[in-house]
Amino acid sequence: MRILVVSTPVGSLGSGQGGGVELTAFALVAGLLQRGHQLSVLAAEGSVLPPRCRQAELWLEAGVDQPSWQHRSRCSAVEIPASGLLPRFWRRALHRQADFAVILNLAYDWLPIWLTPHVATPIAHLISMGSVGEAMDGVIAEVAALHPDRFAFHTAAQAADFQLPGPPRLVGNGFDLGTYRFEPQPEPLLGWAGRIAPEKGLEDAAAVAAGLGLPLAVWGVRQDEAYAERVEASVPAGTLQWRGFLPTERLQAELGRCAVLLNTPKWNEAFGNVVVEAMACGVPVAAYARGGPAELVQPGVNGALARPDDLEALAEAVRVALGVDRAACRRWVERHWSQEAFAERIEVWLEAVASGITSPQPPGPA
């Protein structure tokens, strides 16, 4: 198939601003290329594709980043800034739609979902977050009632957030495991990775690390500088080691040295890429039993779970995770989350979308 992948309108690919969507985009593009498909990727100006994705055609658009839904209130209205990337992406996508069998949307936003019934070339949506806004919940429910096959989700916990007409299509995620080196001998170091923003719960990981007397290496884009400063001030000096945002090759080399990765989301995380990345390096995970990570962490096999927002339970989960076999963590990832297996699941879904709907009709008046 010829497939157009429309990227997130939050930051350029490779910047880290798009969070886990960037990693997902690279995995599915590389995997679909390996399976013989022709891909074009529409992304923000400044985007760079990794070498394994270079066979894809890269289309770039300049514009203003779209405000992210997870940083707004549940009752917020749909907002599109002047000169916004989102409408510019879709103006170009619709202008070129006839060149493709299917358009794969990675943006968690209202406009592309609303467009779905009104466009000749089928649009498929890989939903990257759980429920964070009433407007998004509403448009997903409305369009899913008409075209349930057009939506895929990472985990059952994520899909359960939405009003769907039937069982969801779950595709998980995928990783190029050749870029993750197994590290059998850790250092006395805990790890945490993600965007430095309140919904990620870094303060809980910092408090537990301080209580255990272990340093905490922190990787990620500092999206909220004031929040980062508050977290650092809440624990003894030297507890946090700020490592910044690193590309995958450098991140995995440092991440693998950790004894345990802490995962502390304050919201319903759709998947939890860094959880799998850590396990691919042999690092067990101590995580809150919330959202996608609660499905990924298998107690005793690759980590331990704790009651959400319970610091004592999280500290105990770290102690349990320290005893997990690191080789078992790597084996579990190899069985379930390879880039190849992910691309096959995406391919099956997109082929069904491309062949099953030829002339979608817009919904009638209410």
Side-chain angles (χ1 to χ4, degrees):
M1 291 182 294
R2 290 205 65 197
I3 303 167
L4 174 60
V5 178
V6 183
S7 182
T8 172
V10 181
S12 57
L13 288 175
S15 70
Q17 293 290 335
V21 176
E22 295 185 34
L23 193 64
T24 299
F26 296 151
L28 67 85
V29 168
L32 290 171
L33 287 170
Q34 287 178 342
R35 299 186 68 82
H37 301 287
Q38 299 177 55
L39 276 78
S40 298
V41 179
L42 178 53
E45 191 174 59
S47 292
V48 178
L49 296 176
R52 67 185 190 275
C53 299
R54 294 281 166 79
Q55 288 181 318
E57 183 181 23
L58 181 60
W59 297 353
L60 300 177
E61 286 284 343
V64 176
D65 281 5
Q66 182 69 11
S68 180
W69 278 97
Q70 74 259 35
H71 297 139
R72 306 175 69 201
S73 69
R74 287 197 59 82
C75 60
S76 292
V78 174
E79 176 184 338
I80 298 177
S83 303
L85 275 172
L86 187 66
R88 291 185 176 189
F89 279 179
W90 286 95
R91 179 175 58 196
R92 188 165 183 180
L94 298 185
H95 178 67
R96 297 291 301 274
Q97 63 174 302
D99 297 335
F100 299 93
V102 63
I103 301 171
L104 175 55
N105 168 50
L106 302 183
Y108 186 92
D109 225 300
W110 186 90
L111 177 61
I113 297 173
W114 182 86
L115 284 170
T116 304
H118 307 281
V119 176
T121 298
I123 306 174
H125 306 277
L126 179 54
I127 302 298
S128 60
M129 292 193 287
S131 171
V132 294
E134 294 172 1
M136 285 299 295
D137 290 358
V139 76
I140 289 173
E142 178 183 320
V143 176
L146 295 165
H147 301 297
D149 57 310
R150 302 293 188 89
F151 295 88
F153 302 85
H154 292 293
T155 60
Q158 173 204 12
D161 271 3
F162 302 102
Q163 183 180 340
L164 304 173
R169 181 181 288 272
L170 305 179
V171 295
N173 218 329
F175 302 83
D176 180 5
L177 298 180
T179 64
Y180 296 90
R181 184 177 69 251
F182 174 67
E183 179 53 68
Q185 297 296 330
E187 299 175 5
L189 175 69
L190 301 178
W192 186 96
R195 290 177 292 101
I196 316 301
E199 68 270 12
K200 294 293 189 175
L202 174 58
E203 69 272 21
D204 289 7
V208 166
L212 294 172
L214 291 169
L216 181 71
V218 177
W219 294 274
V221 174
R222 290 172 69 134
Q223 283 194 335
D224 188 328
E225 188 63 36
Y227 168 73
E229 292 174 358
R230 290 196 303 272
V231 173
E232 184 161 32
S234 71
V235 292
T239 300
L240 301 183
Q241 298 181 4
W242 299 101
R243 304 288 182 89
F245 172 76
L246 299 179
T248 298
E249 292 75 12
R250 291 179 56 196
L251 172 64
Q252 64 85 27
E254 296 188 14
L255 184 59
R257 301 189 187 112
C258 294
V260 173
L261 178 86
L262 280 70
N263 186 256
T264 52
K266 296 291 185 178
W267 67 329
N268 189 16
E269 197 82 63
F271 187 76
N273 286 340
V274 71
V275 169
V276 178
E277 291 187 280
M279 294 173 186
C281 299
V283 180
V285 177
Y288 283 150
R290 172 183 280 146
E295 296 181 25
L296 300 174
V297 176
Q298 306 292 301
V301 175
N302 54 25
L305 292 170
R307 289 183 301 277
D309 310 318
D310 186 330
L311 297 187
E312 290 186 6
L314 182 61
E316 180 58 26
V318 173
R319 297 185 188 98
V320 172
L322 286 168
V324 167
D325 178 10
R326 293 173 71 89
C329 297
R330 173 72 186 204
R331 289 195 297 269
W332 186 84
V333 173
E334 290 172 345
R335 284 197 301 271
H336 297 283
W337 304 118
S338 70
Q339 175 180 285
E340 292 75 16
F342 178 52
E344 184 175 3
R345 293 190 292 268
I346 294 291
E347 177 188 65
V348 169
W349 170 45
L350 294 183
E351 285 181 341
V353 170
S355 63
I357 297 180
T358 57
S359 182
Q361 298 297 316

